[in-house]
Amino acid sequence: MPVGGVVVGVAGRLRTWGRVGAGRLAPTVMASISDVPRLIGRIRDLAQAQVRLSRRITELEAEVQECRRLQTRVAEVTDFVVEVLIPAADRDDERLRRALERYEREVL
Amino acid sequence: MEPLTESDRASAAPGDFSIDLSGIGLPLSYDAVTDVLCDGRRVWSFAVEDHPHDGRRRRVRWPAALRGRLHGSSAVTLRRHDTGAALCHREVVFDDLPGRVRVVDHAGRELVINKAGHEAHALDALDSDARASLADGLASTLRMLNESCGVPGFLAYGTLLGAVRAGHFIGHDTDMDVAYFSDHTNPVDVALESFRIERTFRRSGWRTSRDSAGMFKVFVTESASAMRHVDIFSSFCCEGLYHLVPFVTGALSPAALLPLGVVDLEGRSLPAPADCAALLEMTYGQDWKVPNPAFQYELPRAVNRRVNVGWFHNYVAHRRQWMSFYHDADRAAVPAEPSSFARWMTGLEDRDALVVDVGCGTGRDVLYFARDGHRSLGLDYAAHGFGPAGAAAGREGLPVSFEPFNLCDLRNVLAVGTRLAHDSGPRIVFARFLVHALGEQARQNLWRLSQLALRGGGRLYLEFRTPRDSTTKHAFGNRYRNYVEPDVVVREIEQRGGRIQYRTEGQGMAPYASEDPHVCRLVASWSE
């Protein structure tokens, strides 16, 4: 075996003994170190989830506002229907004209 | 930072304050709410902590509305608002112009700059007759609410604060506020009730004006030549929270409001919440007893989104800007002659059509259409703009009418649209430089109006600034402009059943002074 191969073999054994020794002396530290790649992956997932959630909150806020804005719209349409269209339901043009005139006088 | 003691505050000497055209310089040791007086009259108040400092001194810039009036000279006094103690008093020469600084309106009535930075007529400038007249108007307003409208109405906001603290209007206040407590718990019903109450006032001969679906104003007599408004706010409970439009949301039991009590104001006993202190603390915080003319509501984002942006749509977006525009010198800069777009349109249409100019501004094009042989109708939500044109039309006997019209209010759009739909004969809807001045909802309402008005025939003429105009310098400065791509406008019109008959874009069509805006012209129709 060339000298280089001997050195590599020794170094490999030393690393193994070191890992086994450290595992016996400080088992939780070694377990945590071996967990690092998994934890890094988890952090990456959480960061992506945060971006997704933040985007989703923005969307939900817009959807809530969309619903809230309907309140005024429904009130406006209801007001017009009750004050103008219902009186005009008998298709009496004169009555519609009067209802409209009165509505505009009182709204605008 | 350590809180300042009274002795720290008292240590500020007159020489520590500087006053010039750029603003007021203050020592950092001074932190009280401060009144600014010009020739002995209060014109503005500010809270020191609202203004920046460089670590050594604080710099208070003049609000734009006051800065524009600082010409000539004035004896300027800085005064602590809470104690009335003068901090410094000196003659200040603001520029080379002769005369004294005058903060008055076009009729010579004294103005102050209010906490929002706007010009206003403060109640402390009124004589006793005017104050009595306003108190009577306020009492009539509350009688209308309680007796004719059937809702429990009471003093609110600054008017309640003044009554509880001293039995008088607050001197720096500029309007009067009342509210009523609604039985309804759904914002739709609360809005409908507010519409109904406004109608009751109108039917009884009152002049009113609506700011949102949850608030309107009535006008009462101040003197033979002046009116002042009373704001009427809706209040109600919804999902366990009490809401007083537009600023107050919190956990307040109806028992804090009803049954109504009374409070004295200017010698009159007026309806008030059962527990005034509870409502005032919720409105102004624990320090509500300490006078503060610079007080600003710190409206939580959630409350603003829910109540003001969400439930109760704002009907007066950007109107104040336009009202100011028509009051100040900018108005004179608007040409009296018709726009080139108006001339172009009349070259294409027969003379017997009714031309409806939406967003007519000063009404110059409306007058031109009438002089050219059309019947014409000018519509705008800033009615001050078309006042002189209406008078001119009357003098000339032109077939013209002008009406206040608000594209933000769907009721207004449906009413006018239906009327126009019933008007026999050809008609044109004309809107020059309007599309880019509208928010999204108001723009949709413009298409609704056009659809209603033109379903029996006629054409819609539009000229508006395109997004390519957004980076150029404008002759009238930076106003609200909501640039919309012409493709979007075309799509919205087509989605509502309209058909585009003509489209062009570019410069050279609407030049004014040094400005040559990039505009789009569109002609559309709805009839078969």
Side-chain angles (χ1 to χ4, degrees):
Chain A
M1 180 182 288
V3 175
V6 171
V7 171
V8 170
V10 170
R13 275 199 295 277
L14 281 174
R15 255 200 307 275
T16 308
W17 293 339
R19 212 175 288 129
V20 171
R24 281 182 189 148
L25 287 170
T28 43
V29 171
M30 284 312 291
S32 300
I33 289 171
S34 63
D35 217 16
V36 165
R38 188 185 67 80
L39 288 173
I40 289 172
R42 181 87 183 109
I43 288 167
R44 220 174 270 138
D45 290 347
L46 285 172
Q48 284 167 357
Q50 191 186 12
V51 170
R52 274 200 308 276
L53 283 173
S54 166
R55 205 174 292 145
R56 186 69 188 126
I57 286 171
T58 307
E59 286 168 5
L60 287 172
E61 280 193 337
E63 286 167 20
V64 167
Q65 282 309 82
E66 217 173 275
C67 297
R68 283 175 176 153
R69 286 204 186 97
L70 280 178
Q71 305 269 348
T72 297
R73 181 56 53 88
V74 171
E76 289 166 337
V77 172
T78 308
D79 195 60
F80 185 77
V81 168
V82 170
E83 297 294 323
V84 179
L85 297 188
I86 292 176
D90 59 1
R91 295 199 161 272
D92 179 336
D93 278 356
E94 181 54 25
R95 200 167 163 198
L96 173 62
R97 193 187 58 73
R98 279 203 312 271
L100 256 175
E101 259 179 28
R102 181 174 168 146
Y103 189 75
E104 289 188 50
R105 208 167 46 238
E106 291 166 353
V107 168
L108 316 183
Chain B
M1 185 189 287
E2 289 291 315
L4 292 166
T5 64
E6 273 308 310
S7 60
D8 287 333
R9 292 189 185 119
S11 66
D16 294 335
F17 297 87
S18 64
I19 308 168
D20 56 34
L21 201 53
S22 67
I24 300 169
L26 304 162
L28 269 188
S29 58
Y30 175 75
D31 72 345
V33 174
T34 305
D35 296 332
V36 179
L37 291 77
C38 283
D39 289 335
R41 190 176 71 77
R42 189 184 72 86
V43 294
W44 183 45
S45 299
F46 61 89
V48 168
E49 68 263 21
D50 293 343
H51 299 270
H53 63 81
D54 60 6
R56 290 179 300 115
R57 286 180 65 74
R58 199 178 292 276
R59 194 75 201 157
V60 177
R61 296 172 65 122
W62 300 110
L66 184 55
R67 171 71 179 72
R69 292 175 176 275
L70 297 178
H71 299 300
S73 45
S74 180
V76 179
T77 306
L78 300 182
R79 180 180 74 184
R80 276 184 74 122
H81 184 79
D82 52 356
T83 63
L87 302 161
C88 82
H89 174 79
R90 73 184 59 137
E91 181 73 7
V92 180
V93 178
F94 288 104
D95 61 20
D96 295 338
L97 292 173
R100 312 293 294 173
V101 170
R102 295 189 74 225
V103 186
V104 295
D105 67 9
H106 56 283
R109 291 173 70 205
E110 293 175 343
L111 290 167
V112 295
I113 308 306
N114 68 13
K115 58 197 175 190
H118 301 137
E119 294 171 348
H121 296 101
L123 296 173
D124 58 9
L126 301 181
D127 60 28
S128 58
D129 286 348
R131 291 166 82 91
S133 179
L134 289 184
D136 288 340
L138 191 59
S140 301
T141 306
L142 285 161
R143 263 197 310 279
M144 275 293 293
L145 284 172
N146 285 287
E147 294 170 14
S148 306
C149 303
V151 289
F154 51 85
L155 298 181
Y157 289 116
T159 311
L160 177 64
L161 190 62
V164 171
R165 276 207 301 231
H168 295 289
F169 291 124
I170 293 176
H172 59 256
D173 217 347
T174 55
D175 60 7
M176 293 167 287
D177 303 314
V178 304
Y180 59 87
F181 184 57
S182 173
D183 279 343
H184 297 294
T185 56
N186 186 306
V188 171
D189 296 321
V190 174
L192 278 166
E193 181 179 56
S194 180
F195 296 158
R196 174 183 69 77
I197 291 171
E198 185 184 10
R199 250 195 297 277
T200 306
F201 272 88
R202 289 256 182 141
R203 285 176 187 170
S204 299
W206 291 64
R207 186 180 142 212
T208 71
S209 162
R210 182 162 287 278
D211 282 13
S212 83
M215 174 207 166
F216 68 99
K217 301 174 192 301
V218 297
F219 292 83
V220 298
T221 303
E222 177 182 302
S223 66
S225 59
M227 304 287 281
R228 196 175 288 258
H229 65 264
V230 180
D231 287 330
I232 300 182
F233 301 98
S234 309
S235 83
F236 61 104
C237 288
C238 177
E239 304 293 338
L241 284 176
Y242 172 70
H243 303 282
L244 167 57
V245 176
F247 298 122
V248 177
T249 287
L252 187 77
S253 160
L257 301 171
L258 304 178
L260 293 180
V262 291
V263 65
D264 285 345
L265 180 71
E266 305 292 340
R268 292 145 185 86
S269 287
L270 298 175
D275 184 351
C276 295
L279 183 59
L280 287 171
E281 186 171 331
M282 182 171 269
T283 309
Y284 295 104
Q286 289 182 332
D287 292 337
W288 64 268
K289 288 181 182 163
V290 181
N292 179 5
F295 175 84
Q296 303 257 22
Y297 293 100
E298 288 174 14
L299 202 55
R301 178 175 177 269
V303 173
N304 192 43
R305 276 171 54 82
R306 180 193 290 133
V307 180
N308 301 320
V309 183
W311 287 343
F312 301 114
H313 183 59
N314 175 16
Y315 289 146
V316 290
H318 316 294
R319 187 167 66 176
R320 183 183 284 274
Q321 276 182 22
W322 287 108
M323 299 294 242
S324 305
F325 179 83
Y326 295 126
H327 267 309
D328 63 27
D330 281 347
R331 181 201 184 94
V334 178
E337 61 268 21
S339 65
S340 53
F341 186 51
R343 291 179 197 275
W344 180 75
M345 187 279 275
T346 52
L348 299 172
E349 295 289 339
D350 295 334
R351 284 213 165 79
D352 58 347
L354 167 68
V355 184
V356 183
D357 185 348
V358 189
C360 66
T362 61
R364 59 179 177 138
D365 286 340
V366 183
L367 291 180
Y368 166 72
F369 297 138
R371 287 169 184 146
D372 194 56
H374 295 275
R375 286 182 299 140
S376 57
L377 168 64
L379 304 172
D380 204 297
Y381 80 156
H384 282 68
F386 56 67
R395 283 194 302 274
E396 292 181 43
L398 294 170
V400 169
S401 53
F402 289 97
E403 295 173 15
F405 173 74
N406 192 341
L407 277 169
C408 300
D409 183 348
L410 180 62
R411 299 181 306 150
N412 207 165
V413 172
L414 292 175
V416 172
T418 309
R419 171 158 52 97
L420 291 172
H422 273 71
D423 184 274
S424 56
R427 63 197 73 97
I428 308 290
V429 175
F430 177 88
R432 179 185 171 273
F433 275 38
L434 177 68
V435 169
H436 61 255
L438 299 176
E440 170 76 22
Q441 287 195 38
R443 193 174 71 246
Q444 298 309 318
N445 281 342
L446 175 61
W447 310 147
R448 244 175 225 114
L449 176 79
S450 306
Q451 187 179 7
L452 277 168
L454 302 176
R455 66 179 183 172
R459 273 177 283 275
L460 168 67
Y461 282 79
L462 296 176
E463 183 180 70
F464 55 94
R465 295 177 190 269
T466 74
R468 288 180 62 182
D469 178 65
S470 62
T471 52
T472 58
K473 196 172 175 204
H474 298 117
F476 288 113
N478 289 325
R479 306 189 157 269
Y480 171 77
R481 292 187 179 100
N482 179 27
Y483 296 98
V484 189
E485 286 290 351
D487 283 349
V488 173
V489 173
V490 167
R491 190 166 65 241
E492 288 177 350
I493 289 171
E494 288 177 343
Q495 280 169 349
R496 289 187 179 279
R499 283 182 312 284
I500 303 299
Q501 297 185 332
Y502 175 86
R503 171 178 174 170
T504 188
E505 290 165 46
Q507 290 183 293
M509 287 182 275
Y512 170 73
S514 59
E515 197 185 334
D516 184 8
H518 191 274
V519 299
C520 173
R521 284 182 178 178
L522 287 178
V523 181
S525 68
W526 264 265
S527 57
E528 292 302 321

